[in-house]
Structure formats: structure tokens, C-alpha cells
Amino acid sequence: MNESVVEALRAHILTELIPDETPDALTPETPLFDAGILDSVAALTLIEFIEDRFGVVLEAHELTLETFGSVAAIAALVQEKSSAS
């Protein structure tokens, strides 16, 4: 897993989605939906960030609870998409 992708995702989520939380509240394995960090609107915001920041296009079939379940899972998807292009 690319640590810079993980850290960029964590920083964005901590700043934009859960600004009142401490950095310790979000690990790469934190379950984003189960923890209430992501909902459908927050996921759309995160998708826009990912596409802009990493230059990848996320397809609808790739946006599952599994691939967006944690920062680590999202980072793996971003790396996979980056490697394919």
C-alpha cells in the first residue's frame, strides 16, 4: 500500500469530513461507513477528491462498501487504478 495515498486520504477525511476528530480517530483500517464517517453525500465528496487528486476515474461498479470500507481499501483501489492507466 502506498503510504502517500493513505496519508492524503486520511488528511482529506480528517479535514473535510470529520474536522473535530483527532488524527488517532482515523486509522487506515477504520470502517468508514460503520463508524459514521462516510454516508452517500460524503462518499461523493471523497470520490471527487480522489479523482482530482490522483487523476483516476472511478467507475460506478467500483464503488462498493468493500472498496470504500476503509482508507486502506480506498488506497488499494486508487493504486490499482493508477497502475492500470
Side-chain angles (χ1 to χ4, degrees):
M1 172 177 9
N2 185 328
E3 293 301 316
S4 64
V5 174
V6 169
E7 286 310 310
L9 290 168
R10 282 188 73 240
H12 177 77
I13 292 169
L14 285 165
T15 302
E16 299 298 323
L17 302 179
I18 53 171
D20 296 331
E21 292 293 331
T22 64
D24 295 339
L26 181 63
T27 70
E29 301 302 327
T30 300
L32 299 175
F33 284 97
D34 291 344
I37 295 168
L38 280 185
D39 58 18
S40 57
V41 174
L44 291 174
T45 303
L46 185 56
I47 291 164
E48 182 178 359
F49 166 77
I50 291 167
E51 291 183 340
D52 290 344
R53 171 68 168 76
F54 301 107
V56 297
V57 175
L58 300 176
E59 305 292 334
H61 71 275
E62 297 170 321
L63 308 176
T64 66
L65 291 177
E66 182 178 312
T67 59
F68 264 63
S70 68
V71 170
I74 297 168
L77 176 62
V78 168
Q79 285 185 269
E80 179 183 317
K81 298 289 288 185
S82 295
S83 297
S85 46

